[in-house]
Amino acid sequence: AQSVTQLDSQVPVFEEAPVELRCNYSSSVSVYLFWYVQYPNQGLQLLLKYLSGSTLVKGINGFEAEFNKSQTSFHLRKPSVHISDTAEYFCAVKQGGSEKLVFGKGTKLTVNP
Amino acid sequence: DAEITQSPRHKIIETGRQVTLACHQTWNHNNMFWYRQDLGHGLRLIHYSYGVHDTNKGEVSDGYSVSRSNTEDLPLTLESAASSQTSVYFCASSVTGGASERTEAFFGQGTRLTVV
């Protein structure tokens, strides 16, 4: 069965610093990868997705992620974070042929002034 | 605008009672899902449906049931609530069809359920 590992449960950073949130998935022939963001007391909102093509994917709010097939990773990055980026971030994978999303346990990003 | 709505947003019930959480989407999506979110576990799939009259068990389906009588709704029922079912519940929907099988899921705002 497909699984997703988010290596850091909490990541504290200072405002305007760069950040990387790490995500690894179990290997599969074809996968589609997603990052979602959850602000406090809200639902999940899509940040970006990798379906095929270029391995560098750009999303909303200045986030980007790089798909690395050999390392089965899909790390999320932002060069300069803002206070408003404080939220929980979830990596998710959908295996080709299935509609089910499998989620990691989430990474809580806290941006401090 | 199309949307997905959950009701109620908050609910407190006693152990052993039955409760149904509503999920309604207006995107005409064929796929609908129920997840629960717990600290340290992320989101775990409870039940899902790929179309009307289709339902399937997810990884944490014990104690829950769903039915899909139309495209728009997938209510989640807890037959006899237990304290272990205290959680935040999220409904989601997506569409299947050709290349669109690779689209993302859209989520509701969640229902916070407390079983006392």
Side-chain angles (χ1 to χ4, degrees):
Chain A
Q2 188 65 253
S3 65
V4 178
T5 301
Q6 291 184 242
L7 296 159
D8 305 296
S9 59
Q10 297 190 56
V11 174
V13 294
F14 288 109
E15 194 173 18
E16 297 184 6
V19 70
E20 178 180 82
L21 306 184
R22 297 178 292 168
C23 172
N24 287 89
Y25 62 94
S26 55
S27 180
S28 180
V29 175
S30 65
V31 292
Y32 309 114
L33 297 155
F34 307 83
W35 275 99
Y36 283 85
V37 59
Q38 183 182 33
Y39 298 105
N41 299 313
Q42 294 190 25
L44 278 73
Q45 176 185 353
L46 183 72
L47 267 181
L48 49 79
K49 59 186 176 183
Y50 171 80
L51 305 181
S52 64
S54 173
T55 57
L56 184 63
V57 179
K58 293 189 183 297
I60 62 172
N61 300 339
F63 284 93
E64 62 181 33
E66 185 154 19
F67 170 61
N68 188 318
K69 188 174 182 179
S70 62
Q71 296 187 6
T72 61
S73 67
F74 190 54
H75 300 333
L76 181 70
R77 301 186 184 100
K78 187 169 182 178
S80 176
V81 294
H82 302 293
I83 298 286
S84 58
D85 292 323
T86 294
E88 189 152 23
Y89 293 79
F90 291 95
C91 182
V93 61
K94 183 191 290 188
Q95 190 166 332
S98 170
E99 292 300 323
K100 295 182 290 181
L101 274 174
V102 176
F103 284 87
K105 294 184 178 181
T107 297
K108 186 163 289 188
L109 174 66
T110 302
V111 182
N112 298 300
Chain B
D1 286 344
E3 60 181 2
I4 180 165
T5 56
Q6 294 183 234
S7 61
R9 293 293 311 276
H10 302 271
K11 181 79 175 177
I12 300 174
I13 62 169
E14 294 179 342
T15 301
R17 296 283 194 177
Q18 181 186 83
V19 63
T20 296
L21 309 183
C23 176
H24 179 81
Q25 53 99 0
T26 58
W27 277 300
N28 201 34
H29 285 168
N30 59 305
N31 305 316
M32 295 186 73
F33 309 86
W34 274 103
Y35 291 87
R36 59 177 289 174
Q37 182 179 21
D38 304 288
L39 197 62
H41 291 278
L43 281 85
R44 293 179 290 174
L45 185 62
I46 305 171
H47 282 286
Y48 59 101
S49 168
Y50 287 161
V52 177
H53 302 310
D54 175 73
T55 61
N56 306 279
K57 294 181 178 180
E59 64 177 305
V60 290
S61 60
D62 287 348
Y64 304 94
S65 64
V66 293
S67 62
R68 186 92 179 270
S69 58
N70 58 50
T71 299
E72 296 79 18
D73 299 288
L74 187 71
L76 177 71
T77 297
L78 287 68
E79 301 290 346
S80 177
S83 58
S84 59
Q85 295 177 304
T86 292
S87 186
V88 180
Y89 292 85
F90 286 100
C91 181
S93 70
S94 69
V95 64
T96 302
S100 64
E101 77 167 339
R102 300 175 290 177
T103 61
E104 68 273 24
F106 295 83
F107 283 79
Q109 294 296 295
T111 295
R112 184 174 297 275
L113 179 69
T114 304
V115 182
V116 297

